[in-house]
Amino acid sequence: MLRVLLLGGTGEARALAALLAGDAGLDVTTSLAGRTPRPQLPAGHVRSGGFGGAEGLARWLREHRTGAVVDATHPFAARISDHAARAARTAGVPLLALRRPGWAEQPGDRWQWAADTAEAAALLPALGRRPFLTTGAGELAAFAALPLHFLARTVTPPPPPLPARCDLITARGPFTHEGERALLRDHRIDVLVTKDSGGPAAKLAAAREAAIPVLIVRRPPPPPGVPAVPTPEAAARWLRAR
Ligand SMILES: NC(=O)c1ccc[n+]([C@@H]2O[C@H](COP(=O)([O-])OP(=O)(O)OC[C@H]3O[C@@H](n4cnc5c(N)ncnc54)[C@H](OP(=O)(O)O)[C@@H]3O)[C@@H](O)[C@H]2O)c1
């Protein structure tokens, strides 16, 4: 029986847990950060909350006699990915990253890339007056000083500081093309701001259709030396081969 720790918090992690459920050779525990109220729970065992850094995670791996780790966290969750790489090395446990591909520009897109949210905030005033912010609840503070009229959509209510003029929508995707089109139109959005999260994103197609620019924050670099696969199916094959 191979004990597997699946670092989760994404749809891909839930899909992988579902693929592995019922596999007699694997005992899978998904770990959640524990910050989202009423999270969508995966199949299999679930634990919640931080480990206490890379050292705490290495200790957890040893104590639970873990045989493999899959880091299926969000591409922007850089800290836990770094901890996973260091802890797996310390504990001598094989690690695989499950990372959905980033987005690719298509004909008709007007994309501008930013290295991080600070650079996105610096570039934004030249691109529009009514931005639609979809960079996540933790990232609104970077835009707080800008005198623009924001619409911000987050999964959980964002902590202060917020921009002085900011309409808030709390919602969890997936969103429809019709819904995104209506949102851009009704709020007279003239620029979309997003992170390169990857996965389905009707907002990008709606922005293309409305010919509005999209400001995209690049992914942080993944930890070096960790093998990565793009799909839950490929991660399941890697685990079953062990
Ligand atoms: N960042 C995003 O845009 C985003 C979007 C969608 C979902 N998520 C999910 O939300 C979670 C938190 O994201 P984040 O950006 O705050 O992460 P982060 O900055 O990389 O991690 C911060 C700390 O949270 C704890 N942590 C994070 N993910 C964990 C997990 N799966 N299990 C146990 N502890 C975890 C760790 O605490 P300790 O050091 O104490 O172990 C980590 O040091 C992740 O699981 C991620 O997959 C993130």
Side-chain angles (χ1 to χ4, degrees):
M1 174 74 81
L2 183 73
R3 289 193 174 169
V4 177
L5 176 65
L6 176 49
L7 296 167
T10 58
E12 285 75 14
R14 279 194 304 280
L16 177 57
L19 280 175
L20 301 175
D23 192 319
L26 301 173
D27 181 15
V28 181
T29 298
T30 296
S31 175
L32 301 175
R35 287 197 288 276
T36 306
R38 298 182 306 284
Q40 294 170 267
L41 289 178
H45 310 293
V46 180
R47 70 164 297 286
S48 183
F51 294 94
E55 299 74 23
L57 178 50
R59 210 167 30 246
W60 194 98
L61 295 177
R62 285 199 208 92
E63 280 171 10
H64 292 80
R65 299 197 302 282
T66 307
V69 180
V70 177
D71 172 13
T73 58
H74 192 270
F76 281 82
R79 196 172 320 156
I80 185 69
S81 291
D82 171 59
H83 292 178
R86 291 198 280 137
R89 214 165 33 236
T90 307
V93 178
L95 167 67
L96 179 77
L98 165 53
R99 198 130 295 146
R100 66 176 91 135
W103 290 318
E105 204 163 350
Q106 293 183 27
D109 280 331
R110 297 171 56 201
W111 288 8
Q112 177 152 356
W113 291 88
D116 49 33
T117 43
E119 188 177 271
L123 293 169
L124 187 54
L127 293 172
R129 309 303 301 165
R130 297 187 64 105
F132 179 25
L133 270 188
T134 61
T135 46
E139 312 287 352
L140 263 62
F143 301 90
L146 294 180
L148 309 174
H149 188 157
F150 287 90
L151 170 67
R153 183 171 64 199
T154 56
V155 175
T156 53
L162 301 181
R165 292 208 293 168
C166 187
D167 302 323
L168 287 175
I169 298 176
T170 310
R172 197 198 301 263
F175 303 102
T176 64
H177 187 99
E178 293 68 31
E180 299 295 66
R181 181 193 285 149
L183 209 59
L184 297 186
R185 186 193 56 224
D186 296 349
H187 291 266
R188 291 183 285 122
I189 298 301
D190 59 7
V191 55
L192 167 67
V193 189
T194 180
K195 297 191 288 196
D196 181 19
S197 298
K203 61 188 172 186
L204 294 177
R208 184 181 313 126
E209 185 183 78
I212 67 169
V214 181
L215 183 52
I216 306 193
V217 179
R218 277 189 208 288
R219 294 178 171 197
V226 178
V229 294
T231 61
E233 290 74 16
R237 278 196 297 277
W238 181 86
L239 281 169
R240 287 183 181 130
R242 305 206 77 82

